[in-house]
């Protein structure tokens, strides 16, 4: 079933908000997020592309997810206050 235009807009806004938050991450974390989630590279492919160990890729993605989670929680708190 097709989504309603309102649901599609909400999803689009959420996606854009997340992308905006990704751009606030430090470059190595941002790079890891884009390569994995947008370019759909595997950890091994990312390690080869970046010239780092697979464990470094894992660490960067973990730090990026933690950072994004923290930013999303802060953003939600700001919206609740309004």
């Amino acid at each position: 079933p097709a989504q309603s235009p309102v649901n599609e807009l909400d999803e689009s806004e959420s996606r854009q908000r997340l992308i905006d938050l990704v751009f606030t991450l430090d470059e190595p974390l941002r790079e890891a997020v884009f390569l994995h989630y947008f370019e759909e590279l595997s950890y091994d492919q990312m390690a080869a592309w970046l010239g780092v160990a697979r464990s470094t890729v894992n660490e960067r993605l973990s730090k990026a997810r933690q950072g994004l989670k923290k930013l999303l929680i802060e953003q939600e708190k700001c919206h609740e206050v309004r």
Side-chain angles (χ1 to χ4, degrees):
Q3 286 188 334
S4 75
V6 172
N7 287 343
E8 285 183 23
L9 183 59
D10 286 344
E11 189 174 303
S12 175
E13 288 175 354
S14 294
R15 187 180 1 253
Q16 185 58 52
R17 201 169 65 190
L18 184 59
I19 291 170
D20 291 345
L21 290 176
V22 169
F23 277 108
T24 69
L25 297 172
D26 291 338
E27 185 175 355
L29 305 182
R30 180 174 62 239
E31 199 172 45
V33 167
F34 277 104
L35 288 174
H36 187 63
Y37 293 103
F38 294 90
E39 296 296 326
E40 299 180 354
L41 296 184
S42 70
Y43 283 33
D44 291 329
Q45 290 170 320
M46 291 170 58
W49 176 268
L50 297 169
V52 300
R54 189 180 192 282
S55 60
T56 301
V57 169
N58 188 40
E59 182 181 320
R60 288 179 184 178
L61 283 172
S62 179
K63 285 183 178 181
R65 284 189 291 264
Q66 290 171 5
L68 289 170
K69 181 178 179 179
K70 182 179 175 184
L71 290 168
L72 284 168
I73 289 170
E74 289 173 4
Q75 211 175 55
E76 289 299 317
K77 286 180 183 177
C78 288
H79 283 101
E80 287 176 6
V81 171
R82 291 181 189 173

